[in-house]
Amino acid sequence: MGPTRNSSEAGVALIAVLLILALLMGLGAALTTSTTMDIGLRSAFDRTTKGFYAAESGLNRAMGNYRDIFLSFNVPAGSDFNPPPITVGSRTVTYSIRDATTYDALHNPPAITIPPGQLFGGLNSSEYDYIVTSSAVLTTDAEATVNAEFKVGNIPIFQFVAFYKKDLEIAPGANMTLNGRVHTNGDLYLSADNATLVIGDNPPTITTVQVSTQGSIYRGRKRTNTCDSPGTVTVDMLQDKVAPLGNLDPKNFNCSGASRYKATTADLAAWKGSMVDHVESLSVPDPDNGPRGSGIYWNRADLRIVLNLTSTWTPTAPLIGPTQFSIEVQDVSGNADAARTTILRNFMADTAWNTANGSLPGTRSIFYTDVPGPTTGAPNNCNCTDSTATGCTNAVASCYNPTFAGAAVGTTPSADQNNRVYATGRTMTSTTASPAPGSNTDDADYRRGGFYNWREVKWMYLLNVNVRDLLSWNRTKYTANPATALFDPSDRTDGGIVLYLSVQGPSSNAAANNYGVRVFGSATLPFPNMGVDPTGITVASDQAMYVAGNYNSVTKQPAALIGDSINVLSEAYFINATTAAGQFNDKQSTAATAATATATTVNSAFLAGVDDTITDSGTAGYNGGLENYPRFHETWTGVAFNYLGSFVSLGTPLHVTGKWSDQKYSPPTRNWNFDSDFINAANLPPLTPRFVYVQQVLFTEEFK
């Protein structure tokens, strides 16, 4: 029989058990409390995190909204600083912004030069400074607040020799040199057919080179999977170690076999920063030159001149002419401005001023190009349609409705009647100093006829404006009496004068039409305030833009030509010493062979649409490359087209559909270069488009 426990031992054991149970119960309670606290902490952290992200989304919304304001040529003001709240999940996010920019006396932001070593180093930018506060509220509790300081920079696009929003191809068939900066938000294709393409500096005015893309850089063509090994492509490196010193050192970008080649990061590193791919996406504006009645250039134009194909006008004394389509000034709403239309027509009819002061004395300073009709039968047999342009007899007066004034068919026209023929003489009106109203010694028919665009396969309605004469006449009138002028010639609201030209008709907004505007006779652009900060002029249109003859080539001013496409006609296209009876057509209109060009100089930034190349489709799918950005219509073989400016394309044309392979032309000798004056913001044309970057420089957060 084993040992037995007394009562004392039993009591001790019981107490021990009770203590252990109490300890376990306390531990369980503590664990329960800990778990509850942990869940609470996790829940609070989760709410705070969600609140933080919601507040941050408000911050991002603010920065994006302000970027878009700048892209539309505006600066935040008024209610922009206190936008309405936004909802992010179950939270209400409020954000506000304040301007921390240091302005000068004219309320201009600081103009900075982007430091070397940064992307686009050396370019000028207008920089604004803002502070944003964004708070996230759940029910009534503010969970998180974030603050940020950010800078918005506006870089003028005309500081690039070429800037494309989509793919850019450069593949000249003759030697070509581009100086300065090239950028595309797409892919870049560099090629040269048995020729040399050089992208380099040009000291002392152009001291750096940068080739940048958001996409990739290819050696070879886009249209076909080929690389032209006989051709040479050279891009300067960002170094100057090889003689002659003072110029950046060139480096060839060679093919790697017969197929197009995509440059690798290691390949591009050899250029030491002058060739950069896959850059951060840039905020680039959409084309804002139309349609008529909208867009920044229309809304802010100093003058809007429209050829209205839906309205007619009968010229009255002192020049009495046939009823024809209306050439008028329109207000910002797109309605005829009666008072300024009267002033415009006074300018058009001012023969005495034209004879004494016009750039082409006796030539109408504003007119429109009519299209011939399919008149058939004796004695004219016109039969001019878009499909039967070759050989049609559009040079007779009765091909047009109303019939052009002129000599009867089969008779010899008088010298005065020949003066009405622009394509075959320098004049459109008589040079008689005091013509009798309505007589044959002057001409109140503000039409000329017959421009056939072989690329579009269409006869074209063109509004023609002598910009030089318009500026000069208007300044004379304004000096004498501002009420008799069309606009203030010294207006600097947008950096200078903005002139908007358009054609209003049934097809104005159609995907393809036969409308365009043409500037001519404007080798000089006269302004009253030339000097260190010249006024400058931008001529914009929602339709195809044509520039005929030398433009801004004498005393160079800040200038831009903006249109749906850019077409260049030489100095010889109109101004021709020959005479022929009854011709009302442009020189190229009645034959499939192009007219012969003469050397022509244009100093102006270009902004227009270019076609997309259809990959691997051969010649038929090629957009012509940068070398065919301006569309040509003449035989330029061995003839120089001298150009100083900037090529900008922000999309494809909206109203022209003809292909590069359909043009009738031969290419010019391309003496092209970047206008280094554009590096100075004072020399930029009015309403120069800008791309926008947003840089965050400070960020703080506050949690509840």
Side-chain angles (χ1 to χ4, degrees):
M1 187 172 180
T4 59
R5 296 183 180 180
N6 58 33
S7 58
S8 176
E9 291 176 335
V12 171
L14 178 61
I15 292 171
V17 170
L18 291 173
L19 288 172
I20 292 171
L21 288 174
L23 180 62
L24 291 173
M25 291 176 65
L27 181 61
L31 288 172
T32 300
T33 302
S34 175
T35 301
T36 302
M37 292 177 63
D38 184 60
I39 292 173
L41 288 171
R42 288 178 180 271
S43 177
F45 178 77
D46 182 62
R47 289 197 307 270
T48 302
T49 301
K50 289 181 178 177
F52 165 74
Y53 286 126
E56 189 178 40
S57 70
L59 186 75
N60 292 333
R61 171 74 69 88
M63 295 169 72
N65 286 348
Y66 285 84
R67 176 200 61 202
D68 293 341
I69 290 171
F70 281 99
L71 283 173
S72 62
F73 292 91
N74 291 304
V75 175
S79 61
D80 295 328
F81 290 105
N82 291 287
I86 61 173
T87 300
V88 180
S90 57
R91 290 163 175 79
T92 299
V93 177
T94 59
Y95 60 96
S96 62
I97 190 169
R98 64 183 178 87
D99 191 349
T101 309
T102 301
Y103 295 97
D104 64 17
L106 298 176
H107 203 67
N108 295 316
I112 68 163
T113 299
I114 299 175
Q118 294 186 16
L119 186 65
F120 306 123
L123 290 182
N124 285 343
S125 174
S126 298
E127 194 167 76
Y128 296 80
D129 193 7
Y130 296 100
I131 296 175
V132 178
T133 298
S134 176
S135 298
V137 177
L138 181 62
T139 310
T140 58
D141 294 332
E143 294 180 316
T145 298
V146 294
N147 307 281
E149 180 181 359
F150 65 93
K151 296 183 182 294
V152 178
N154 277 345
I155 298 181
I157 291 180
F158 291 153
Q159 292 183 93
F160 293 76
V161 64
F163 189 104
Y164 273 46
K165 190 171 184 177
K166 305 177 78 173
D167 290 351
L168 168 59
E169 305 156 75
I170 311 177
N175 293 345
M176 182 176 181
T177 298
L178 298 172
N179 297 125
R181 302 170 185 269
V182 174
H183 176 80
T184 172
N185 264 22
D187 294 328
L188 175 65
Y189 298 82
L190 299 176
S191 186
D193 291 338
N194 297 305
T196 297
L197 168 63
V198 175
I199 303 176
D201 64 346
N202 185 26
T205 57
I206 303 173
T207 58
T208 192
V209 172
Q210 187 173 66
V211 176
S212 57
T213 69
Q214 185 182 337
S216 299
I217 299 177
Y218 292 88
R219 177 66 171 87
R221 290 189 169 277
K222 178 182 179 181
R223 74 185 191 195
T224 56
N225 186 20
T226 58
C227 192
D228 52 323
S229 55
T232 301
V233 174
T234 301
V235 179
D236 280 358
M237 299 181 286
L238 291 186
Q239 73 171 28
D240 182 13
K241 296 182 178 180
V242 179
L245 298 179
N247 296 80
L248 295 176
D249 299 335
K251 179 176 176 58
N252 288 350
F253 184 19
N254 296 321
C255 293
S256 180
S259 301
R260 66 173 168 254
Y261 174 72
K262 182 168 74 171
T264 66
T265 301
D267 292 331
L268 300 180
W271 275 269
K272 305 187 183 301
S274 66
M275 293 260 279
V276 183
D277 66 355
H278 300 293
V279 302
E280 183 178 350
S281 178
L282 303 177
S283 296
V284 179
D286 290 324
D288 208 3
N289 52 308
R292 185 191 63 85
S294 66
I296 192 71
Y297 296 101
W298 173 270
N299 288 325
R300 298 196 186 179
D302 294 272
L303 182 67
R304 307 169 193 89
I305 304 177
V306 178
L307 168 61
N308 190 346
L309 303 180
T310 67
S311 178
T312 57
W313 161 53
T314 303
T316 56
L319 299 178
I320 303 172
T323 299
Q324 53 203 269
F325 289 128
S326 175
I327 299 176
E328 61 195 35
V329 176
Q330 293 191 353
D331 61 24
V332 72
S333 299
N335 301 314
D337 183 328
R340 292 214 288 175
T341 295
T342 297
I343 297 174
L344 179 74
R345 291 173 180 171
N346 289 340
F347 165 57
M348 294 165 60
D350 197 339
T351 300
W353 182 93
N354 181 291
T355 301
N357 304 290
S359 65
L360 299 172
T363 300
R364 286 277 179 235
S365 295
I366 296 182
F367 65 98
Y368 74 88
T369 303
D370 206 350
V371 301
T375 304
T376 58
N380 299 321
N381 297 310
C382 179
N383 194 31
C384 290
T385 65
D386 288 341
S387 59
T388 59
T390 301
C392 72
T393 55
N394 70 301
V396 297
S398 58
C399 276
Y400 299 86
N401 184 22
T403 298
F404 280 108
V409 174
T411 65
T412 302
S414 67
D416 169 66
Q417 289 162 344
N418 270 336
N419 281 342
R420 302 172 188 175
V421 183
Y422 191 41
T424 57
R426 291 182 64 101
T427 60
M428 282 186 192
T429 64
S430 173
T431 56
T432 303
S434 300
S439 73
N440 280 342
T441 58
D442 211 339
D443 181 6
D445 194 336
Y446 293 89
R447 302 175 299 148
R448 291 299 174 270
F451 179 85
Y452 188 78
N453 187 317
W454 284 96
R455 177 164 175 163
E456 300 304 315
V457 196
K458 289 182 174 70
W459 295 96
M460 306 295 290
Y461 284 109
L462 299 179
L463 170 65
N464 301 267
V465 177
N466 187 323
V467 176
R468 179 267 180 197
D469 283 7
L470 177 65
L471 291 172
S472 183
W473 182 89
N474 182 74
R475 187 174 65 178
T476 299
K477 291 295 181 180
Y478 191 87
T479 300
N481 180 1
T484 64
L486 289 160
F487 54 87
D488 180 354
S490 60
D491 177 57
R492 301 297 302 278
T493 304
D494 292 304
I497 303 302
V498 178
L499 176 63
Y500 194 101
L501 309 178
S502 188
V503 179
Q504 177 181 355
S507 301
S508 292
N509 298 322
N513 64 28
N514 62 332
Y515 303 161
V517 301
R518 183 163 51 184
V519 297
F520 70 98
S522 301
T524 300
L525 299 176
F527 288 100
N529 55 332
M530 299 179 183
V532 295
D533 191 7
T535 303
I537 183 169
T538 291
V539 182
S541 179
D542 56 331
Q543 305 298 327
M545 173 72 70
Y546 297 77
V547 54
N550 294 327
Y551 188 82
N552 194 28
S553 59
V554 178
T555 304
K556 184 165 66 67
Q557 298 293 319
L561 294 171
I562 298 174
D564 193 47
S565 60
I566 294 288
N567 299 259
V568 172
L569 303 171
S570 81
E571 184 74 0
Y573 200 91
F574 284 151
I575 303 169
N576 178 8
T578 63
T579 58
Q583 288 191 354
F584 298 94
N585 55 292
D586 282 272
K587 288 170 59 181
Q588 193 188 339
S589 301
T590 57
T593 56
T596 301
T598 56
T600 299
T601 298
V602 173
N603 296 325
S604 171
F606 285 161
L607 193 161
V610 298
D611 293 335
D612 288 333
T613 288
I614 303 173
T615 306
D616 296 340
S617 62
T619 301
Y622 184 40
N623 73 354
L626 177 68
E627 61 274 17
N628 286 293
Y629 177 110
R631 301 178 177 203
F632 298 106
H633 303 265
E634 299 165 89
T635 298
W636 287 81
T637 304
V639 177
F641 172 43
N642 305 303
Y643 175 76
L644 205 61
S646 171
F647 299 100
V648 175
S649 172
L650 301 180
T652 55
L654 299 178
H655 305 303
V656 288
T657 58
K659 301 303 180 184
W660 166 76
S661 56
D662 294 330
Q663 284 184 225
K664 299 291 191 297
Y665 82 109
S666 65
T669 300
R670 299 180 177 93
N671 295 331
W672 295 0
N673 213 332
F674 169 62
D675 188 346
S676 59
D677 285 347
F678 290 162
I679 296 174
N680 182 349
N683 293 321
L684 287 168
L687 289 180
T688 291
R690 300 166 185 262
F691 68 86
V692 176
Y693 65 86
V694 178
Q695 179 183 11
Q696 183 174 295
V697 296
L698 180 66
F699 180 83
T700 63
E701 52 192 351
E702 304 169 18
F703 294 105
K704 180 179 177 182

